[in-house]
Amino acid sequence: MRLILGWLFLVALGIGLLWWGFRSGRGNQQPEPAASEDRSSQMAMETATDVAPPPAEEATALPTATSLPAPTATSIPIPTNTPLPPLAPPTPTPYIVAGADGVNVRTGPATSFEKLGYLDPGAQAELIGRDDQWWQIRYQGMEAWVYGPLVTAYNADGVGAPTPAPAPEVPAPAAGVSEWADEVFQRINQIRAENGLAPYARNAALEQAALLHAQDSAQRGELTHIGSDGSDVSTRVERAGYDAVGASEITVTGNSPEWALNWWMDETPPNDPHRSAILSTTYADIGVAVVEAGQTYYFIALLAEPR
């Protein structure tokens, strides 16, 4: 009997301890949310994560004025104090002053040259050259000459003779042109014979002077009685070595000897300088030259009387 009571006591004690333990465990645990509450919370979190808030309205950018770059300061190098060479004194310009009587201006250094003009007393001109007693000056844009004793030269120590112009290079006459010179010579003497005059004698020195002037004229494309170096008829005759009492020159451009003779003779006295030269009784010698220049020819006849 006592054994049964003891057993029952132990069973009751065990049941009491289990119940006390169960009650103590529930008092320490937090109440778990219901399943529906857990699902609602999860959906709310997913919605907050997946759905982005609407974008804020973008403000329209207004155009702004283009800003110019600020000027930058340019560094200017400071020059070093390099000593400059001493300045040479200016070279005084040579010039002449016409004397009390003034002076004639000519194309060359002799009274036989053509007169270009006149310098009044006291007039000045730039001095550029010298030939013995003649001064070469610049006159109205041209090179000219005045007689030295009639002027006073200043700053002329370094003024010397002018540099002669190089001889023009002219191609040799075409075949047959030299025969034209023979034809012109024969035609002139034929005309003289028809007028009861003695024939001219052909002179080599005069022919050389005529040829050089014809070549010079063809080179320049201009036929005058003044050469490119300022020479006149008397000067060219003298250069050729012909000692003349007087000389004359007739020129023309054309396409044949016949044309040249017709042009020279087609003059009426007293205005007949070419015709008068061909029929002159003053001259005894003649030199003839013909030079080709493109489609035309330069005809020159040089007449002279020996001293």
Side-chain angles (χ1 to χ4, degrees), residues 85-298:
L87 295 176
T91 303
T93 302
Y95 66 98
I96 59 98
V97 177
D101 297 326
V103 64
N104 290 325
V105 181
R106 298 185 179 275
T107 58
T111 55
S112 59
F113 283 86
E114 180 184 358
K115 179 181 174 182
L116 289 177
Y118 175 79
L119 290 180
D120 293 324
Q124 298 183 12
E126 182 185 355
L127 178 59
I128 57 176
R130 182 175 187 172
D131 186 354
D132 195 17
Q133 289 187 305
W134 290 77
W135 292 110
Q136 186 182 35
I137 64 171
R138 198 170 302 283
Y139 178 76
Q140 296 180 354
M142 301 181 296
E143 295 179 355
W145 295 84
V146 293
Y147 187 48
L150 300 180
V151 301
T152 302
Y154 296 89
N155 308 320
D157 292 341
V159 178
T163 302
E169 295 182 3
V170 178
V177 174
S178 60
E179 296 177 1
W180 280 11
D182 297 338
E183 185 176 347
V184 171
F185 169 71
Q186 293 169 4
R187 283 178 174 267
I188 287 177
N189 275 341
Q190 181 180 351
I191 294 172
R192 289 179 63 83
E194 293 171 355
N195 287 269
L197 300 172
Y200 283 134
R202 201 163 184 180
N203 183 275
L206 296 178
E207 201 150 279
Q208 178 67 13
L211 177 61
L212 291 176
H213 186 50
Q215 290 177 336
D216 179 38
S217 300
Q219 178 73 18
R220 291 181 295 155
E222 179 184 22
L223 185 57
T224 69
H225 295 295
I226 301 299
S228 62
D229 59 353
S231 62
D232 63 1
V233 177
S234 299
T235 303
R236 291 193 291 272
V237 169
E238 184 180 355
R239 287 176 182 173
Y242 186 100
D243 188 11
V245 175
S248 182
E249 181 181 70
I250 55 176
T251 65
V252 70
T253 57
N255 54 18
S256 70
E258 182 179 6
W259 193 97
L261 266 297
N262 289 340
W263 194 89
W264 283 334
M265 294 300 296
D266 188 21
E267 295 177 333
T268 303
N271 299 317
D272 59 342
H274 303 88
R275 180 178 178 276
S276 296
I278 292 175
L279 300 177
S280 173
T281 57
T282 302
Y283 308 118
D285 297 329
I286 188 173
V288 181
V290 182
V291 170
E292 180 184 12
Q295 299 300 317
T296 191
Y297 297 85
Y298 288 73

Side-chain angles (χ1 to χ4, degrees), residues 44-121:
M45 291 178 64
E46 290 176 355
T47 302
T49 302
D50 297 336
V51 181
E57 185 177 355
E58 295 181 1
T60 302
L62 297 177
T64 58
T66 303
S67 58
L68 298 175
T72 58
T74 303
S75 61
I76 301 176
I78 300 176
T80 58
N81 295 326
T82 303
L84 297 175
L87 295 176
T91 303
T93 302
Y95 66 98
I96 59 98
V97 177
D101 297 326
V103 64
N104 290 325
V105 181
R106 298 185 179 275
T107 58
T111 55
S112 59
F113 283 86
E114 180 184 358
K115 179 181 174 182
L116 289 177
Y118 175 79
L119 290 180
D120 293 324

Side-chain angles (χ1 to χ4, degrees), residues 9-83:
F9 174 78
L10 290 172
V11 170
L13 179 60
I15 293 170
L17 290 172
L18 289 172
W19 181 84
W20 183 81
F22 176 76
R23 292 288 296 177
S24 297
R26 287 177 61 96
N28 293 333
Q29 290 180 357
Q30 296 292 333
E32 294 181 0
S36 60
E37 291 178 359
D38 292 342
R39 180 65 180 167
S40 299
S41 299
Q42 184 177 3
M43 291 180 62
M45 291 178 64
E46 290 176 355
T47 302
T49 302
D50 297 336
V51 181
E57 185 177 355
E58 295 181 1
T60 302
L62 297 177
T64 58
T66 303
S67 58
L68 298 175
T72 58
T74 303
S75 61
I76 301 176
I78 300 176
T80 58
N81 295 326
T82 303

